Amino acid sequence: MTLIGITTYDGLSEIKTPIAAVGQHYIRAILQAGGTPVLIPNQLDEVGWREVYARLDGILFTGGGDIEPGIFGGEPHPRVGELDPERDTLEIPLLRLVVAQEKPFLGICRGLQVTNVALGGTLYTHIEDQHPGALKHDWYPDIPRDTLAHPVRVEEGSRMAEIFGEPLLQVNSLHHQGIKDLAPSLKAAAYAPDGIIEAVEMPGHRFGLAVQWHPEWLTDQEPMRKLFHAFVQAAAA
Ligand code: MN
C-alpha cells in the first residue's frame, strides 16, 4: 500500500460547523493512480504531523487560499484572501522536510506556491496588477473548474516533459497569484504564454514537482493521469 498524505483546508460545513476537508478530486486522482490517500489535518502539532509524515510514502500539497504575504515579503493587495495561519504553519515546514529527506511530493496550485515560498521564492500577490501583459488566470469561482483557460509550454529536457510526453498542454487556471521570484533550488518546467511559471521541479530530488493548474480536474487527459501515476510510482519505489 502506497500511502499518499494529502494536505487539507479548514472551513465551515453547510450547517456551519468547523470542518477539515479536501476536494474529492484529489482523492480520486490518487486512488486512480494506485495510491492510498491519507488526509493530514492542520490541527496536528509539529510532533503529530512529523509522526504521520514518517509513515507516508509521498505528500500531495493541494490547492487552497493564499499564503500569508508577510512570510515571503509580498505586496499587500485587497484580493489576498482565505488566509489560514495554521495551514501555513504546517505546510511550509512539512515541505522543507519532504525536500530535505527526498520524499516524493507533488504540489498543485497553492501547493506550487507553498513549494516556492518554503524554499525562498516569492509570489505575485495578484498577477493581474503586478505582471505586465498578464492573461486571465483567475477562472473562478463561477466557472466550471475543468474549463481549459490557456496553454502551457513544457520545457524541453525537463522531468515534466518526460512524464507528459507532449510539449503543449491545455490547462485550467484557478489562481490569482503566481511565482514572482523562483526559489534557487527550483527549475521552471512549464510557462503560460504570458511568461507566468505554471510548473516547477526540483533537480536532484527523487520526485519534486509542482503545477499551478489543477490536473485533478483534468484526469480525462492522459498527460494528467500520467503525472499522478508517476508520482505514486515514485512514492512506491
Ligand atoms: Mn494559469
Side-chain angles (χ1 to χ4, degrees):
M1 194 179 268
T2 305
L3 300 181
I4 304 295
I6 302 184
T7 63
T8 56
Y9 71 90
D10 294 314
L12 288 176
S13 72
E14 277 179 36
I15 56 161
K16 305 289 180 242
T17 60
I19 53 168
V22 72
Q24 285 187 23
H25 279 66
Y26 297 106
I27 293 172
R28 294 187 194 285
I30 293 300
L31 285 169
Q32 186 179 47
T36 301
V38 177
L39 305 196
I40 306 173
N42 298 318
Q43 289 70 32
L44 288 169
D45 64 11
E46 186 167 349
V47 174
W49 66 250
R50 280 177 175 268
E51 280 185 24
V52 173
Y53 162 86
R55 301 187 186 196
L56 299 172
D57 301 304
I59 314 277
L60 174 62
F61 290 85
T62 57
D66 296 333
I67 301 167
E68 162 58 47
I71 295 174
F72 55 91
E75 209 177 303
H77 192 284
R79 281 283 303 275
V80 172
E82 296 179 71
L83 300 181
D84 185 342
E86 210 170 41
R87 185 171 182 183
D88 292 344
T89 300
L90 182 143
E91 286 187 348
I92 291 172
L94 176 61
L95 190 285
R96 290 181 183 143
L97 185 62
V98 163
V99 165
Q101 300 195 347
E102 274 198 46
K103 196 169 281 209
F105 72 94
L106 176 63
I108 292 179
C109 198
R110 171 190 161 93
L112 167 137
Q113 297 171 4
V114 166
T115 302
N116 189 50
V117 165
L119 301 175
T122 66
L123 305 176
Y124 294 120
T125 49
H126 192 59
I127 291 173
E128 192 184 328
D129 292 345
Q130 296 162 11
H131 182 79
L135 293 172
K136 178 178 170 58
H137 287 273
D138 53 343
W139 290 65
Y140 66 89
D142 299 321
I143 301 166
R145 295 176 78 83
D146 59 355
T147 300
L148 299 176
H150 61 72
V152 296
R153 184 177 43 78
V154 183
E155 288 287 283
E156 223 176 288
S158 64
R159 181 82 183 270
M160 294 256 184
E162 194 185 304
I163 292 168
F164 293 135
E166 298 178 24
L168 205 65
L169 303 172
Q170 297 294 333
V171 302
N172 48 1
S173 194
L174 298 141
H175 59 111
H176 79 106
Q177 300 196 334
I179 292 177
K180 184 180 177 198
D181 302 301
L182 186 62
S185 54
L186 296 175
K187 204 180 94 181
Y191 291 91
D194 59 4
I196 290 290
I197 295 174
E198 287 273 341
V200 299
E201 54 192 45
M202 179 160 235
H205 191 285
R206 213 145 60 82
F207 191 101
L209 306 181
V211 295
Q212 183 63 81
W213 68 90
H214 281 267
E216 79 282 9
W217 279 90
L218 303 176
T219 53
D220 56 323
Q221 291 188 32
E222 196 187 7
M224 308 306 166
R225 293 196 300 274
K226 282 178 172 170
L227 177 62
F228 286 108
H229 192 251
F231 172 45
V232 172
Q233 286 293 109

